Structure formats: structure tokens, C-alpha cells
Amino acid sequence: MQGKLYFIILLFLLYPIFSINGQGCVAIRHFSSCVGSNLENNLLSTGDIQIGVNYRYFKSFRHFRGTEEEPDRLANNTEVINHSHAWDFFATYGINDRLYTSITVPTVINTRSSLYEHGRNERNVTFSRGLADIRFGFGYWVFDMDKSPNGNLALGLGVKLPTGNYNASDIFYNVGPNGEPQTRPVDQSIQPGDGGFGVTVDFQFYQKITTDVFSYASGFYLINPRETNGVRTFRETLSPILQNESIMAVPDQYSLRGGLSYNISPTISSSLGARFDCVPVKDLIGGNEGFRRPGNVLSIDPGVSFMKSNFVINLNVPFAVRRERPQSITDLQTEQLTGTPRNGDAAFSDYVINLGVTYRFANNKVRLAPELENNFK
């Protein structure tokens, strides 16, 4: 029993490394796993409930074509600047000691400042806010915790509902036939939703290395079978070669993480790892027509967590070390037709702030060993 209690405390301290949110950039929209991907789910006994909120912020402004940055965009004041705020409110219920279910209700506030979307003569800002795409699903720990106290693997399956507005609109200036403003859908990168029913598969893994050090890995893949959502982008008005990007796509997305976590004290832990976030050029299921900005980011991902009894606060600040905007379907088709190399651009952030707060309501409280009780007073 005492060994299990020590293990439970370590799980609390490892909490922050399993919170997944997409790295901030124009290419990659806000998303997280449907079943939460939190190691703390392993703490849930039958009837236990865990509630919490994860906040994320980033500013994207550095433009890349392929892996090459375009510093002239900043020098010429032509960069696109996105500010993104997202709050994921979630609740997880322990069906039994190994099976759990979770629901996440996300909300977002986004702004986008650009020149090219407003006649290229003056910089203006478009805005979106509201409910994003709700996710729910189930997760299962493969190995019995009592029999595998030093490591485990969880597998999850979930769905994403098209509850977020995917046709959010704002005023665009200098774009009408006579230079007048028009109301149009905002850019895909700041739409609260994507308009598609999605399915996610995810995993989370941890293994004890020494008394206070654990290795971890986790990830998810969002499958979006819908090809396009019917929302006009107006990109075809910018150039004839963008005709096939006149309607927004509903792209897949995935994220992978891995690293080490170290328990500094009974209430504080730290982690250091790497993460890779991606919107692929092509989807696993369905067609690939419509407009998307494929992109991927490799980041170093440090974090710190504080735990007191059933209350946890964690902070992760991944910062990008490699950013890539690969050739899209339009880029590849244009290059084949013209024989001229083409690669569109995308704007990426330098770092992302992820802050999470959770609380666990235990259905049946466990009596702690005397030597551990002082840590929770």
C-alpha cells in the first residue's frame, strides 16, 4: 500500500508533461487530445472526478518558406501577426481504476493583423472569439497499476464535434470593387472551429528510471475526414493560381512529445523534453482539396509543476528550434504546371505559454501513510 501511495504522488508531480496543445503558429490551430492525455488520469478510481482548465497563449509573426526564415517581412513591416488565447475547460471521470472518460470544452479569443488582407496599403486587424470544437472520448491504462508500479501505457479514442464557428467574419478594408470595406470570413488560422467531425487516437507512456526521474512520451492524431467546409477564403482574388484555395480545407493535425521529468521535492517537479506539432500536407482519410497551411514545429519543452493534496498547477513554455512550412498541394501543382519552384509561407511563434490548473474530487479517500501525511497539510 505504501509503495502505491508513493507512486500516486509521483503521478501528480508528473502531471504537466502530458498536457498536449498545438504549438502556436499560423499553420497549426489550437487543438488538444480528446481524452485529455494527462498522466493524472491514472489517479482516478471508480467515481473520481477531475476538473480543470488549461490556458494557452502565443504570438505568431516570423515567416518561413520551407525551413528558411524571411527576415525582410519584419524589416518591411509586412509580417502577419496573430495573437491567440485559448482556454480548455475539461472534466474527467474514473469509470474504474483503469478506464476513464473525459470531455473538453474549449473557448478562444484571436486577433490577426495584416497588410495583404486589407489592400496591401494599410495594416488592419480582424477578430474572432467564442466556443471552439468540443471533444470527448475514453482512455484505458493497459497495465494494472498494482502490477506495473514503475511504468504504464494508456490508449485513447475520442471524437471532435464541429461546435465552433468555422465561418466567423469581420470587416476587411480596401477590398471591395471600389476599395470599400467588406465583411468576409476571417483567416483559417483564427477560426474558432474547422467545420468537421473528427476522430482522435492518442497514447501516453511513462517509465521510472530512478527514484525521482521518469521518462515520458505522449501524442495524438486528429483524423478529419471532411475535405472542405464550404467557407470562402477570397484567396483567389489575390492571384489566379490560388483558385483551388478559394474554399477552406478541414485538415488533419498531430502532436508528439517525449522527455524526462524530475521530482525536485514532494510538491514540485520539473520536466524537459521535445515536442513536434504538425498539420500535414495530406490527410489520412478523404481528399486534400481546399486551402490549408501545412506546417510543423520542433520545440524544446521545459515545464514545472506544483501539487498540494488534490490541487495541481503546471506551467510549460515550449520554444521553437525548427519551423517548416512545406509545399502545399497548390505549391506542388503549380510547380508541376509551370516548372517554376513554388513554396508558400506561414508565420510561426517563438514560444507558447501553457498554464494548467486541476483539482481532483475523490469518491473514496485513501488513508495516507503517516510519513506522507505532512506533505498534504
Side-chain angles (χ1 to χ4, degrees):
M1 178 65 178
Q2 181 174 334
K4 182 175 180 179
L5 291 173
Y6 275 115
F7 177 66
I8 287 176
I9 292 173
L10 289 174
L11 291 178
F12 264 122
L13 297 178
L14 281 168
Y15 166 78
I17 62 179
F18 286 89
S19 178
I20 300 180
N21 287 286
Q23 166 77 1
C25 67
V26 171
I28 301 174
R29 301 174 60 256
H30 171 72
F31 191 77
S32 61
S33 172
C34 295
V35 291
S37 291
N38 295 326
L39 184 57
E40 192 179 352
N41 292 329
N42 205 347
L43 298 174
L44 300 180
S45 299
T46 303
D48 286 1
I49 298 175
Q50 174 186 304
I51 62 172
V53 58
N54 289 319
Y55 167 75
R56 184 188 73 153
Y57 167 77
F58 70 83
K59 171 189 175 183
S60 62
F61 64 101
R62 294 192 186 278
H63 285 256
F64 284 77
R65 292 183 191 270
T67 57
E68 298 297 321
E69 186 177 359
E70 298 184 308
D72 60 298
R73 297 294 296 270
L74 294 176
N76 298 330
N77 195 35
T78 62
E79 78 277 19
V80 176
I81 304 171
N82 278 22
H83 290 274
S84 177
H85 303 265
W87 295 262
D88 281 358
F89 300 91
F90 68 88
T92 304
Y93 176 75
I95 299 174
N96 57 44
D97 288 344
R98 294 164 68 178
L99 180 65
Y100 56 91
T101 184
S102 183
I103 184 170
T104 299
V105 180
T107 60
V108 297
I109 297 178
N110 301 312
T111 64
R112 178 178 173 86
S113 170
S114 70
L115 281 167
Y116 85 92
E117 293 173 314
H118 302 275
R120 301 185 184 275
N121 293 320
E122 62 179 3
R123 180 178 291 274
N124 284 289
V125 176
T126 50
F127 175 84
S128 67
R129 67 181 299 171
L131 178 69
D133 291 342
I134 293 175
R135 291 95 65 181
F136 71 91
F138 294 87
Y140 182 74
W141 290 96
V142 175
F143 304 108
D144 189 306
M145 188 173 68
D146 291 328
K147 297 178 181 179
S148 302
N150 295 323
N152 213 327
L153 170 68
L155 303 176
L157 180 66
V159 297
K160 176 185 67 68
L161 304 177
T163 53
N165 185 3
Y166 55 94
N167 192 20
S169 300
D170 206 343
I171 297 175
F172 289 77
Y173 295 89
N174 311 305
V175 295
N178 299 310
E180 71 274 13
Q182 289 185 343
T183 298
R184 295 179 175 182
V186 298
D187 186 79
Q188 184 183 60
S189 63
I190 65 169
Q191 289 287 346
D194 64 19
F197 282 92
V199 176
T200 67
V201 291
D202 63 59
F203 78 95
Q204 47 188 307
F205 166 82
Y206 64 92
Q207 179 63 51
K208 182 179 179 179
I209 298 177
T210 66
T211 302
D212 294 315
V213 179
F214 279 72
S215 64
Y216 65 88
S218 61
F220 75 86
Y221 193 102
L222 165 65
I223 301 170
N224 261 327
R226 187 176 184 182
E227 187 171 17
T228 59
N229 60 22
V231 176
R232 187 179 176 188
T233 66
F234 287 87
R235 290 181 62 80
E236 76 281 3
T237 65
L238 302 175
S239 171
I241 66 174
L242 300 179
Q243 184 62 43
N244 63 336
E245 294 188 351
S246 61
I247 303 298
M248 293 185 190
V250 186
D252 289 359
Q253 184 168 325
Y254 66 89
S255 179
L256 297 169
R257 302 182 70 201
L260 297 173
S261 178
Y262 174 69
N263 298 317
I264 299 172
S265 74
T267 58
I268 299 175
S269 69
S270 62
S271 63
L272 181 64
R275 63 182 300 147
F276 184 77
D277 303 295
C278 180
V279 170
V281 176
K282 296 182 179 181
D283 293 343
L284 284 181
I285 300 175
N288 302 297
E289 296 300 317
F291 171 62
R292 77 174 71 193
R293 287 190 189 91
N296 58 77
V297 183
L298 176 65
S299 303
I300 300 299
D301 188 13
V304 63
S305 176
F306 171 81
M307 182 274 293
K308 187 70 173 179
S309 187
N310 290 333
F311 179 73
V312 179
I313 300 177
N314 64 83
L315 174 67
N316 282 73
V317 186
F319 57 91
V321 294
R322 181 185 183 276
R323 288 157 279 199
E324 180 186 15
R325 201 296 202 175
Q327 287 182 296
S328 66
I329 296 297
T330 297
D331 295 332
L332 294 169
Q333 291 174 345
T334 302
E335 185 171 313
Q336 291 172 357
L337 288 173
T338 65
T340 302
R342 185 180 190 279
N343 200 137
D345 71 302
F348 296 78
S349 66
D350 286 336
Y351 62 89
V352 180
I353 298 174
N354 289 303
L355 178 64
V357 178
T358 67
Y359 188 82
R360 172 176 170 262
F361 295 92
N363 185 39
N364 295 307
K365 294 186 177 180
V366 179
R367 174 69 176 177
L368 293 177
E371 64 269 26
L372 299 179
E373 287 186 338
N374 290 333
N375 294 329
F376 294 86
K377 293 181 180 179

